[in-house]
Amino acid sequence: MPVRFQLNGVLIEENDVSPSMTVLDYLRENRLLKGTKEGCAEGDCGACSITIQSALGRVKTVNSCLMLVPQLDGMSVLTVEGLSAPDAPPHPVQQAIVDNHAAQCGFCTPGFVMALYAFTQTGETVTPDSIHEAIAGNLCRCTGYRPIVDAAVSLGSKAEKVIPPAIEQSEYYTDGNEDFFAPRSLGDLVALKSQHPEAFVLAGGTDLAMRASKDRQPFGQVISTANVTELNQIERDEVSVTFGAAVNYTRALPVLEDIAPSFAQLVRRLGSRQIRNLGTIGGNICNASPIGDTPPCLIALDATMIVHGTGGRREIPADAFFTDYRKTALEPDEILEAIRVPLPSPELVFRAYKVSKRFDQDISAVVGGFAVKIENGIVISARVSLGGMAARPARAPTCEAALIGQPWTLDTAIAAGTVLAEEFTPLTDFRASQGYRARVAGNLLQRFYLDTTQQDMPVEVMAL
Ligand SMILES: Cc1cc2nc3c(=O)[nH]c(=O)nc-3n(C[C@H](O)[C@H](O)[C@H](O)COP(=O)(O)OP(=O)(O)OC[C@H]3O[C@@H](n4cnc5c(N)ncnc54)[C@H](O)[C@@H]3O)c2cc1C
Ligand code: FES
Ligand code: FES
């Protein structure tokens, strides 16, 4: 079956495009749609932003440099050229950029236009925070952001909603050399994984697509989880929420906000809206990066990884899932099916902290997940988990022992922080030195204490 999608209103069928080709290359080279720019080719600048929408879904802005062409199957795709007809007046978003003098060299402008177009389509209330979040994934090097924000403010959220046509999706695409499988059921996914052990499992692709966009390496065989029904579900019962491994951050966020607001706050700083629209918690876990943002939070919350292979389903506690640097407990024939997060009990005090050089769109130097229960002023249980401090995200048992049985006071937090700083031997790299990581990790315990006990104490400095 060909890859079928609507591009700027025209139905396209592609039969011989390499499945390893990025959407950005495809748009610019095969379709000569050069309005979509290449800045970084790694998801950082937003110059390549386009929007995608399925018949049932909402408009999403994504980085076309991090998408493979078969991921467009069934989508309606809009590039900056498609916002208004060639002989029609500019689209209101484009006109707002002009009216507010929001472009100088203009290189970033198509990306901003597409991010703002998607923003108007979400129907969000226009506030400084919502604008900030909507364009945090777009860099401008010469105009400065004030006129761009002015343009966003002038737009409001009054856009007409467009419902794209339903386009049948295929389960298999090949250009004759490489294969792209897009199974719809968990059974088919597991069968394909065992039949093609060398195939790359692709969720959102925000990590994996770097192989195509940066390394320029073909994939050979890809098995996409994006259309697997079971992996796209979010199920809630009295004791837990289970996120299918292919649920993207944008979908997970409202649920996280409800069950663990601090975790949601951290996820809002994970990448940009473009990244969160495609990227998944499952991908973050299976990537097993020592500086991934969600694993320390999931370990602190005592989550369970549900994995599935030819032998069936099994469950692995989050703190046993990460075995070494970028290694997990998954067997070669297994995939991650879902992540079960227990609903935090009312007496659980939980916070997640991300320390990075920039507030937005930055990889963490240190991530901390802290969960304690206090009874009569005494810490009766503690789970402390850190990322960025070792080859894998890990609990801090000595620090936990230094907390349990102690009164929940600043002195206890400081003492446990000292233990924590000594418990790991972090690396020095371009994000942070060993000394900085150790010290900041220890200090996070003080922050945790102050944050959860001194309501009036500001522990976060925000730009206004
Ligand atoms: C600009 C940019 C900013 C970023 N910022 C952050 C950040 O702030 N914090 C952070 O933690 N990460 C960040 N990332 C990394 C990335 O976005 C996240 O790790 C994301 O969660 C990956 O999810 P994905 O669905 O895109 O995974 P993919 O790229 O599709 O896959 C990642 C890995 O997981 C495997 N995999 C995926 N799903 C499964 C499954 N169900 N079973 C088995 N294996 C599977 C894949 O084979 C691959 O090895 C950033 C990336 C970019 C490009
Ligand atoms: S080219 Fe920079 S985000 Fe895609
Ligand atoms: S106008 Fe030049 S980079 Fe934004």
Side-chain angles (χ1 to χ4, degrees):
M1 282 272 285
V3 177
R4 300 170 81 232
F5 54 95
Q6 187 177 274
L7 176 59
N8 294 336
V10 178
L11 185 67
I12 306 277
E13 289 195 0
E14 288 293 352
N15 289 289
D16 54 6
V17 170
S18 160
S20 296
M21 186 175 217
T22 68
V23 172
L24 176 61
D25 286 348
Y26 170 79
L27 292 173
R28 290 181 58 83
E29 290 166 21
N30 292 28
R31 292 282 155 191
L32 301 179
L33 293 170
K34 307 257 178 177
T36 307
K37 304 294 183 205
E38 174 166 339
C40 62
E42 54 185 19
D44 277 319
C45 74
C48 66
S49 301
I50 57 169
T51 64
I52 56 171
Q53 185 180 16
S54 65
L56 296 175
R58 44 171 211 90
V59 174
K60 297 195 289 194
T61 173
V62 294
N63 296 125
S64 60
C65 68
L66 291 183
M67 272 191 98
L68 306 178
V69 172
Q71 288 179 274
L72 296 181
D73 195 41
M75 297 287 167
S76 176
V77 182
L78 209 56
T79 70
V80 72
E81 292 89 349
L83 276 184
S84 62
D87 48 356
H91 186 274
V93 177
Q94 294 166 315
Q95 192 60 51
I97 294 279
V98 174
D99 293 345
N100 289 278
H101 310 286
Q104 279 189 38
C105 82
F107 189 83
C108 68
T109 308
F112 272 101
V113 166
M114 296 314 290
L116 288 176
Y117 167 72
F119 178 56
T120 61
Q121 292 286 314
T122 60
E124 285 162 274
T125 313
V126 179
T127 64
D129 274 354
S130 63
I131 295 172
H132 177 126
E133 199 184 308
I135 59 174
N138 294 75
L139 291 184
C140 177
R141 292 165 182 84
C142 41
T143 297
Y145 291 87
R146 190 195 41 78
I148 299 172
V149 171
D150 288 347
V153 171
S154 74
L155 281 166
S157 45
K158 50 184 183 284
E160 61 186 88
K161 299 279 177 290
V162 183
I163 302 192
I167 301 170
E168 194 195 341
Q169 291 178 305
S170 83
E171 291 189 53
Y172 174 65
Y173 170 73
T174 181
D175 64 345
N177 293 314
E178 298 177 78
D179 303 304
F180 191 97
F181 300 94
R184 295 198 186 140
S185 71
L186 177 61
D188 286 352
L189 172 65
V190 171
L192 282 164
K193 176 77 176 116
S194 81
Q195 285 155 21
H196 306 280
E198 302 304 318
F200 290 86
V201 175
L202 180 86
T206 60
D207 277 317
L208 210 55
M210 223 68 90
R211 180 181 169 91
S213 64
K214 276 311 239 197
D215 305 340
R216 299 278 156 189
Q217 293 295 314
F219 282 94
Q221 290 183 318
V222 172
I223 306 172
S224 165
T225 62
N227 295 346
V228 177
T229 310
E230 294 90 332
L231 268 63
N232 274 291
Q233 280 158 4
I234 303 178
E235 285 170 356
R236 185 171 183 155
D237 59 26
E238 300 80 56
V239 289
S240 62
V241 175
T242 303
F243 297 93
V247 170
N248 64 44
Y249 292 112
T250 304
R251 281 190 60 216
L253 254 170
V255 183
L256 290 176
E257 182 71 57
D258 193 32
I259 63 169
S262 172
F263 191 6
Q265 207 173 335
L266 178 139
V267 167
R268 243 180 248 109
R269 288 177 57 202
L270 192 157
S272 58
R273 195 167 271 197
Q274 285 89 332
I275 296 292
R276 293 191 297 275
N277 278 339
L278 284 180
T280 62
I281 304 181
N284 200 232
I285 292 165
C286 294
N287 179 36
S289 162
I291 42 171
D293 280 341
T294 65
C297 308
L298 294 167
I299 293 172
L301 286 169
D302 201 9
T304 301
M305 311 301 178
I306 302 167
V307 309
H308 212 120
T310 42
R313 181 180 285 127
R314 67 189 177 109
E315 300 194 351
I316 307 172
D319 59 1
F321 190 78
F322 306 96
T323 52
D324 204 343
Y325 180 71
R326 289 191 176 273
K327 291 212 164 35
T328 70
L330 281 177
E331 295 295 337
D333 68 324
E334 286 179 325
I335 52 95
L336 179 67
E337 179 185 334
I339 306 106
R340 189 171 60 235
V341 183
L343 295 180
S345 58
E347 63 275 19
L348 189 81
V349 184
F350 171 78
R351 289 290 187 279
Y353 299 120
K354 167 169 178 153
V355 180
S356 56
K357 287 186 178 165
R358 281 189 319 238
F359 185 81
D360 292 303
Q361 179 77 316
D362 202 0
I363 303 293
S364 301
V366 174
V367 191
F370 302 88
V372 294
K373 279 187 189 162
I374 318 285
E375 210 172 87
N376 301 323
I378 304 291
V379 181
I380 57 160
S381 75
R383 288 179 75 91
V384 173
S385 175
L386 273 299
M389 298 291 284
R392 63 188 175 96
R395 277 176 84 174
T398 319
C399 170
E400 291 173 0
L403 287 166
I404 296 169
Q406 299 300 315
W408 186 222
T409 61
L410 185 58
D411 284 346
T412 299
I414 291 172
T418 308
V419 170
L420 181 64
E422 289 166 1
E423 192 163 1
F424 294 94
T425 314
L427 281 177
T428 291
D429 64 12
F430 61 90
R431 288 201 177 88
S433 67
Q434 182 182 69
Y436 175 82
R437 282 192 158 107
R439 186 152 179 204
V440 88
N443 286 350
L444 286 180
L445 262 163
Q446 281 184 60
R447 178 176 176 169
F448 178 45
Y449 173 79
L450 295 170
D451 192 7
T452 54
T453 57
Q454 318 278 310
Q455 302 302 326
D456 300 334
M457 171 147 322
V459 291
E460 185 122 352
V461 179
M462 296 289 297
L464 289 174

